[in-house]
């Protein structure tokens, strides 16, 4: 072939191939990490708010820079087209015309604002900073700042700056606390509200729900939640605890807004000493004493060996009991499975029970949880996760007292079965015939 | 002798640039086909270029360009091929799916959209020079063909010109540099023929800012002649290309950016331009063909082809984050209700050009600061992941194709007068569509969720799952996510054609029968449509036929008169049948085949110094269907328009002239004057993509709207001078008129004008179809060649050929060559300016200069 005889072709081919190195995919260098700018503020949020007269919309002429840390963003959807910032003198809400502001201004971010050219207004006495005047309504209102102009006024600073909430009592609250992150101790929802959800998802009008929070000294304040919040369908916590929230006003009404459900950790005992919501409980008082446990919906079945849980009673307390003693089977494995438990939509779900052992010689009691068991009577065909229950043991020649299994956190689950599995042996060889007692099975939700 | 050679080298009309236009990312493309770059490339080498569909272009803006070259025989096609392509001229107003291309006996059109996959052989112009071209209704010896432009390319090794050629070209269009090397041996005494061609095309930045090009092409052909009767041939093509693309934009955005060639797809990253919409094609093609001369009069051609590989287009995907597109309508001055802020926004755009482009740095900042813990990974409640969860990622939308083709064609000369061609084709194609994550942009992971479903179904955790069998799946680089489905298509056809020639009359007739079927296979169970997304759908089957006939009356050796006609039915394409194949297998109601009727007639004069073609045609296409999809951020959802009862009529006059007026000077002229209309009131069903709920069933008052995407009137006049000293010049002037913008069917409904006063300007603004301004261009083409007496001891003479083509000599940068109305319309305010049309502009002055050594 001519190619072999022609050195020019060879050189040319080399030239062609030599372009290979230009051809490779451009791999882009990752840009550098964000470096916070070096800016000093020369104005405070309190001074800025002083420029405002309620009911008016004013252009800010002061050529100054304020600094604030974001204490509320729109990540959960409870805040809409606004973020709240706070410095040591006060807090203010920024009206910004865009969704998903949390991507640029998440909670904890320090931001600097060049206020000249921005506008101050208020929403029924709640002071806000925005981008213009909206004359389309009956009275001039504050127009939000256009998205394309954010970077012209707002300079982004460092992340993860912590703002500790100011601990106040409801009676302390006044306008100087507007849009600040505050904490009120020992709050709870009204008993009649505890079965409700934070808001009504999908309802557009009215767009939010108000709840009354009370403290143990009787003071009350409103908590307002938007139907567009992603926690709208979550159940309200039923206990008592400290709320962290942004303090706002609507005219003369004091209102709190939370960022998300972590702001309402009401897991303690209520003011009247009662507990949180009990989702599931069983203390075996309804089980016939002396018979195999046969409660409605419960499964009591032996996988191997023919031993079952029975109901026993001591000093007027009924409980479930199982033992391999004198049964005669070589291998004993028995399951006691609860009915399907619907845990609802709570932030925190805790499972606990009490148990005792007697004449312990090595049999085991283990507690499991399953989400795929179908209630068909054959639990061993499905997947079960072992729960970290504290099981009483070591009482080799008598019965121990009931101890708690400890609080087991099952907050991640929504619909479960719980199984108590006993394994023992009473054959010719090794004997493992410990007696176990189970009582006060309880799941609480908050 | 030299003159002949020289003449062969130069009797090719000049080239012109076509446009590289890709559609807006807010519009989902329904057609997955070749890129225009390939088209441009062919025109640069004065290779005939056929109608095609641009990949990823909005359905309403088929960037069809139809250009044909018949090596000097048809003056109308000569002019139409290159001169008209700048205006995106479509021959007879037909879409690219009415063209057909055959290579070595195989029909090459994709079964998914009927277009010709030019990208399979792009960059290999040297081996594509053996082609027969035709258009309209004809007797063809290589296949049945369609009614538009028809091309038969013989790429076998033995048909390549026996020579070695090496060329370098410089251009300022899609690519800047091109090397090409070709060598063909011809058939040697032992019966072997080899051919090899390779090229490299690249540009760091093309004509449009932010675009780039990186292409390699290789061709190999091997033939073995067994005896005087049989030749077995194998050709292999591999043309991987990566290119940064361009998008159309609204007038407002082009004004803010200060240029008609504003490209919203790129932005700076670390000081370098990074394009978010990068196309990659990697599809080898193999054709094994056998030509068997049964006897002197009969030839049997059989061929087998296989092509496989991937095409991908990248884009930014996002979840629960602000829209990343710099030209998103809410970021623009026109969206601001407050005029003061509107002016400030405009000012900011003017002062800071980087605002017009993508802000890559911000994606990294957002992703790196979004530390999240996500529960319930893979549906297991205790499975969690913590880390920086990306809210912006770069994805590839991939089409992985496997295509097999088997064909047999029989040619017989029955006697001196009668000829017969018949054949059988079996075609099978599977396209697998999926998304792939290619860059986490600074984050650690992404989660496979449908962000568009979250707002509509806040209480249903299943609704937001893309894959119910693996809910909340963690996605890393290289993982497939999102939609994941395949369409399998099959077409079996057989045809027969008969030609009878006498001294004065040629008569032909032909018929074809075909069966087309397709079905969808879903690989993920979509949370919104759990029972209709996973697994195989029912098979859609269509039986079609075509009959054609024609008669040519030869008045004498130079004057011909012809009348041809055809009647055919055509199956719908899968993406116009399935409403939203990405999530489900729902079909349009009442699917049926189109009916096409066409008739043409004309006069041909073929004298040595005067060639004239004058013809008229009429075509009607009825019962077409279409599905359009776009994103409506009011619903936070995609919306599908399923349109049916689309009837079209195209009719016109075609004229071509090639006259040698002096010894060295010739004049050419061409005109295509037509009227292409929609002739029915269409019916549309508007469907919300997330729930398949029907929002409305509307009549579209589309009657007498113009077919868009082509100048319905195109004229060109040119003059060539050929010097006996082996150089030539050619200057051509072109004029284009009646270019119409593609219209949004939902804006021509009762709902769109409800409550609007019929006498008001608003009424007209809503309903009228926009006509683009007429344009003219001037093109120059020239060349020089000289012969090297002695070149490396070669026995044959060597030639160096220098060619230069400059298109749009007057640098007309206001040439709106196409565009489309956005599918979004604000029914509340009826304001047509809220979502204004997007436009493409033809390049200003552009050139292609090449230097070729041949020996």
């Amino acid at each position: 072939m001519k190619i072999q005889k022609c050195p020019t072709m060879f050189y040319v081919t080399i030239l062609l191939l030599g372009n290979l190195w230009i051809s490779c995919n451009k791999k882009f260098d990752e840009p550098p990490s964000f470096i916070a700018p070096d800016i000093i503020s020369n104005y405070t949020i309190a001074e800025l708010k002083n420029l405002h007269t309620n009911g008016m919309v004013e252009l800010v002429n002061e050529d100054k820079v304020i600094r604030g840390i974001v204490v509320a963003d729109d990540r959960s959807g409870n805040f809409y087209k606004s973020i709240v910032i706070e410095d040591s003198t006060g807090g203010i809400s920024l009206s910004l015309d865009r969704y998903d502001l949390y991507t640029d201004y998440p909670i904890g971010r320090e931001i600097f604002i060049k206020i000249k050219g921005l506008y101050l207004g208020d929403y029924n006495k709640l002071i806000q900073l925005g981008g213009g005047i909206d004359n389309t309504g009956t009275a001039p209102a504050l127009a939000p700042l256009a998205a394309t102009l954010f970077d012209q006024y707002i300079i982004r600073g460092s992340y993860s700056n912590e703002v500790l909430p100011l601990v106040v009592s409801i009676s302390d609250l006044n306008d100087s606390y507007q849009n600040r992150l505050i904490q009120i101790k020992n709050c709870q929802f009204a008993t009649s509200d505890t079965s409700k959800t934070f808001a009504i998802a999908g309802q557009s009008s009215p767009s939010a729900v108000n709840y009354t929070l009370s403290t143990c000294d009787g003071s009350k304040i409103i908590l307002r939640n938007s139907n567009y919040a992603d926690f709208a369908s979550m159940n309200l916590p039923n206990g008592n605890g400290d709320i962290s929230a942004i303090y706002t006003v609507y005219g003369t009404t004091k209102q709190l807004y939370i960022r998300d459900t972590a702001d309402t950790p009401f897991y303690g005992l209520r003011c009247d000493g009662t507990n949180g919501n009990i989702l599931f409980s069983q203390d075996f008082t309804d089980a016939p004493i002396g018979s195999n446990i046969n409660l409605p919906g419960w499964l009591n079945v032996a996988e191997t060996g023919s031993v079952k849980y029975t109901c026993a009673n001591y000093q007027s307390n009924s409980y479930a009991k199982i033992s391999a003693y004198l049964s005669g089977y070589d291998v004993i494995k028995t399951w006691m499975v609860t009915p399907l438990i619907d845990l609802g939509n709570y932030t925190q779900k805790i499972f606990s029970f009490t148990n005792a052992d007697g004449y312990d010689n090595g049999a085991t009691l283990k507690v499991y949880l399953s989400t795929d068991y179908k209630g068909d009577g054959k639990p061993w065909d499905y997947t079960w996760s072992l729960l970290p229950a504290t099981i009483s043991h070591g009482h080799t020649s008598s019965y121990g007292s009931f101890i708690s299994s400890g609080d087991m956190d099952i907050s991640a689950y929504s619909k479960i079965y719980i199984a108590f599995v006993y394994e023992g042996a009473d054959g010719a060889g090794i004997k493992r015939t410990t007696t176990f007692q189970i009582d006060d099975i309880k799941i609480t939700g908050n | 002798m030299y003159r002949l050679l020289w003449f062969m080298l130069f009797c090719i009309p000049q080239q012109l640039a076509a446009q590289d236009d890709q559609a807006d990312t807010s519009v989902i493309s329904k057609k997955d086909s070749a890129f225009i770059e390939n088209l441009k490339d062919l025109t640069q080498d004065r290779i005939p270029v056929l109608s095609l569909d641009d990949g990823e272009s909005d359905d309403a803006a088929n960037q069809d360009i139809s250009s044909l070259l018949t090596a000097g025989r048809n003056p109308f096609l000569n002019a139409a091929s290159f001169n008209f392509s700048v205006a995106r001229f479509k021959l007879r107003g037909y879409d690219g799916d009415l063209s057909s291309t055959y290579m070595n006996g195989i029909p090459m059109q994709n079964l998914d959209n009927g277009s010709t996959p030019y990208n399979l052989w792009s960059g290999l112009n040297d081996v594509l020079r053996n082609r027969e071209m035709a258009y309209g209704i004809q007797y063809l010896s290589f296949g049945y063909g369609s009614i538009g432009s028809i091309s038969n390319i013989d790429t076998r090794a033995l048909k390549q010109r026996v020579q070695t050629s090496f060329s370098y070209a410089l251009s300022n269009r899609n690519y800047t540099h091109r090397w090409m090397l070709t060598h063909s041996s011809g058939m040697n005494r032992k019966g072997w023929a080899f051919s090899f061609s390779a090229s490299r095309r690249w540009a760091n930045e093309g004509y449009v800012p932010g675009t780039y090009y990186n292409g390699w092409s290789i061709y190999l052909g091997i033939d073995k002649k067994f005896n005087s009767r049989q030749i077995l041939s194998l050709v292999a093509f591999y043309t991987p290309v990566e290119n940064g693309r361009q998008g159309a934009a609204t007038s407002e955005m082009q004004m803010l950016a200060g240029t008609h060639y504003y490209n919203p797809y790129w932005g700076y990253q670390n000081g370098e331009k990074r394009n978010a919409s990068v196309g990659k094609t990697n599809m080898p093609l193999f054709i094994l063909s056998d030509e068997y001369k049964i006897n002197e009069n009969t030839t049997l051609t059989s061929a087998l082809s296989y092509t496989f590989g991937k095409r991908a287009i990248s884009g930014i995907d996002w979840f629960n984050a602000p829209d990343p597109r710099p030209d998103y309508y809410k970021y623009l001055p026109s969206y601001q209700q407050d005029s003061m802020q509107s002016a400030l926004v405009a000012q900011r755009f003017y002062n800071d050009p980087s605002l017009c482009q993508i802000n890559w740095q911000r994606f990294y900042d957002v992703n790196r600061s979004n530390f999240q813990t996500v529960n319930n990974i893979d549906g297991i409640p205790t499975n969690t992941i913590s880390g920086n969860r990306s809210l912006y990622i770069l994805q590839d939308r991939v089409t992985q194709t496997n295509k097999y083709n088997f064909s047999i064609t029989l040619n017989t000369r029955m006697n001196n007068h009668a000829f017969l061609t018949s054949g059988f084709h079996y075609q099978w194609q599977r396209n697998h569509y999926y998304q792939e994550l290619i860059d986490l942009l600074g984050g650690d992971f992404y989660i496979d969720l449908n962000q568009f479903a979250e707002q509509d179904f806040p209480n249903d955790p299943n609704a937001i799952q893309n894959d119910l069998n693996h809910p909340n799946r963690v996605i890393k680089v290289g993982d497939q996510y999102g939609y994941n489905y395949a369409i399998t298509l099959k077409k079996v056809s057989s045809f027969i054609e008969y030609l009878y020639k006498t001294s004065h009359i040629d008569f032909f007739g032909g018929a074809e029968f075909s069966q087309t079927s397709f079905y969808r296979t879903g690989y993920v169970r979509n949370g919104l449509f759990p029972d209709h997304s996973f697994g195989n759908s029912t098979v859609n089957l269509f039986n079609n036929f075509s009959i054609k006939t024609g008669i040519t009356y030869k008045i004498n050796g130079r004057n011909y008169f012809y009348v041809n006609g055809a009647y055919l039915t055509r199956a719908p394409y899968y993406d116009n049948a399935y409403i939203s194949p990405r999530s489900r297998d729902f079909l349009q109601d009442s699917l049926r085949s189109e009916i096409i009727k066409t008739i043409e007639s004309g006069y041909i004069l073929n004298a040595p110094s005067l060639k004239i073609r004058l013809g008229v045609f009429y075509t009607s296409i009825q019962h077409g269907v279409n599905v359009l999809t776009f994103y409506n951020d009011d619903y936070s959802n995609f919306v599908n328009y399923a349109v049916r009862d689309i009837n079209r009529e195209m009719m016109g006059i075609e004229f071509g002239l090639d006259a040698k007026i002096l010894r060295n000077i010739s004049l050419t002229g061409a005109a295509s004057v037509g009227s292409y209309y929609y002739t029915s009131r269409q019916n549309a069903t508007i469907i919300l993509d997330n729930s398949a709920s029907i929002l409305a069933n509307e009549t579209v008052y589309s009657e007498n709207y113009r077919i868009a995407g082509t100048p319905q009137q195109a004229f060109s006049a040119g003059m060539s001078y050929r010097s006996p000293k082996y150089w030539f010049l050619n200057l051509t002037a072109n004029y284009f008129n009646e270019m119409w913008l593609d219209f949004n069917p939902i804006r021509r409904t009762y709902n769109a004008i409800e409550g609007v006063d019929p006498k008001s300007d608003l009424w007209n603004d809503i309903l009228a179809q926009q006509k683009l301004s007429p344009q003219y261009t001037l093109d120059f083409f020239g060349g020089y060649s000289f012969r090297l007496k002695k070149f490396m001891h070669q026995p044959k003479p060597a030639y160096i050929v220098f060619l230069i083509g400059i298109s749009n000599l007057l640098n007309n940068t206001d040439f709106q060559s196409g565009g489309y109305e956005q599918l979004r319309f604000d029914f509340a305010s009826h304001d047509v300016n809220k979502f204004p049309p997007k436009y493409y502009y033809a390049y200003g002055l552009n050139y292609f200069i090449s230097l070729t050594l041949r020996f």
Side-chain angles (χ1 to χ4, degrees), chain B residues 124-138:
Chain B
L124 294 165
N125 306 344
D126 274 352
V127 298
L128 303 174
R129 296 186 192 269
N130 296 302
R131 47 211 298 159
E132 278 174 74
M133 307 288 306
Y135 76 105
I137 308 134
Q138 309 220 358

Side-chain angles (χ1 to χ4, degrees), chain B residues 112-131:
Chain B
D112 56 350
N113 57 14
S115 71
T116 299
Y118 294 98
N119 55 347
L120 295 180
W121 52 79
S122 70
L124 294 165
N125 306 344
D126 274 352
V127 298
L128 303 174
R129 296 186 192 269
N130 296 302
R131 47 211 298 159

Side-chain angles (χ1 to χ4, degrees), chain B residues 624-645:
Chain B
V625 291
N626 197 4
V627 176
L628 307 164
T629 302
F630 70 99
Y631 179 68
N632 183 330
D633 70 353
D634 269 349
Y635 292 114
S636 281
N637 209 331
F638 286 101
V639 174
N640 305 310
Y641 294 160
V643 189
R644 55 194 179 280
D645 303 318

Side-chain angles (χ1 to χ4, degrees), chain B residues 310-338:
Chain B
K310 290 187 194 174
R311 288 187 44 244
I313 296 185
S314 69
I316 299 172
D317 200 5
W318 63 99
F319 182 81
N320 280 1
D323 201 307
R325 295 170 293 171
D327 60 342
Y328 179 54
Y329 74 102
K330 288 189 179 172
Y331 300 151
L332 303 186
S334 56
Y335 177 73
Q336 311 310 324
Q337 287 163 333
D338 175 359

Side-chain angles (χ1 to χ4, degrees), chain B residues 106-390:
Chain B
I106 298 274
M108 296 303 301
Q109 290 85 262
N110 288 327
L111 292 182
D112 56 350
N113 57 14
S115 71
T116 299
Y118 294 98
N119 55 347
L120 295 180
W121 52 79
S122 70
L124 294 165
N125 306 344
D126 274 352
V127 298
L128 303 174
R129 296 186 192 269
N130 296 302
R131 47 211 298 159
E132 278 174 74
M133 307 288 306
Y135 76 105
I137 308 134
Q138 309 220 358
Y139 169 87
L140 304 165
S141 60
F142 49 83
Y144 190 78
S146 186
I147 63 172
S149 59
I150 305 154
S151 175
N152 179 35
I153 316 174
D154 192 338
T155 55
R156 295 178 296 172
L158 79 159
K159 293 287 183 180
Q160 305 301 338
R161 194 183 294 176
V162 180
Q163 68 178 19
T164 308
S165 103
F166 176 71
S167 83
Y168 168 76
L170 191 67
S171 171
N172 71 338
R173 296 173 189 151
N174 276 2
Y175 57 82
T176 320
H177 305 277
R178 186 190 73 179
W179 298 101
M180 196 183 298
L181 169 67
T182 309
H183 173 81
S184 307
S185 69
M187 187 68 68
N188 70 17
R189 268 181 243 111
K190 294 191 184 156
W192 289 97
F194 300 99
S195 180
F196 162 79
S197 180
S199 84
R200 167 106 175 83
R201 297 160 293 161
W202 81 95
N204 279 331
E205 188 166 67
Y207 189 93
V208 171
T211 61
Y212 68 89
Y213 199 92
N214 194 350
W216 288 91
S217 313
I218 293 195
Y219 155 90
L220 258 171
I222 303 176
D223 290 353
K224 174 73 176 109
K225 187 167 181 170
F226 288 103
N227 46 45
S228 62
R229 291 177 188 267
Q230 191 160 30
I231 304 174
L232 186 67
S233 313
L234 176 67
V235 294
F237 291 85
Y238 182 50
T239 59
V241 170
E242 179 186 310
N243 66 309
R245 294 150 41 103
Q246 173 208 12
T250 60
S251 288
E252 176 188 14
M253 201 61 217
Q254 288 169 345
M255 207 168 57
L256 290 172
T259 166
H260 286 149
Y261 306 106
Y262 163 67
N263 183 2
Y265 290 167
W266 69 273
Y268 282 108
Q269 179 165 327
N270 282 348
E272 269 190 55
K273 287 185 181 171
R274 181 176 186 181
N275 191 316
S277 181
V278 172
K280 292 185 280 277
T281 305
N282 237 303
M283 287 184 62
L285 164 68
F286 302 96
I287 307 180
L288 181 70
S289 59
D290 177 89
E291 183 188 305
Y292 179 53
K293 279 208 176 81
I294 299 175
N295 54 43
E296 254 178 39
N297 297 319
T298 309
T299 308
L300 181 73
T301 307
S302 24
L304 199 60
S305 82
Y306 177 50
T307 175
F308 67 98
K310 290 187 194 174
R311 288 187 44 244
I313 296 185
S314 69
I316 299 172
D317 200 5
W318 63 99
F319 182 81
N320 280 1
D323 201 307
R325 295 170 293 171
D327 60 342
Y328 179 54
Y329 74 102
K330 288 189 179 172
Y331 300 151
L332 303 186
S334 56
Y335 177 73
Q336 311 310 324
Q337 287 163 333
D338 175 359
S339 61
M340 178 210 65
Q341 288 205 67
S342 174
L344 285 176
V345 168
Q347 193 63 45
R348 186 135 195 258
F349 271 105
Y350 290 128
N351 290 342
D352 184 2
S354 72
L355 212 58
C356 296
Q357 311 301 149
I358 292 175
N359 183 352
W360 291 98
Q361 177 75 51
R362 185 176 160 269
F363 301 153
Y364 286 87
D365 289 343
V366 167
N367 290 344
R368 286 170 180 159
S369 67
N370 188 43
F371 189 89
Q372 266 193 316
T373 299
V374 182
N375 300 317
N376 229 321
I377 302 297
D378 286 335
I380 299 168
T382 44
N383 227 357
T384 64
I385 184 170
S386 295
N388 285 334
R389 177 180 177 181
S390 284

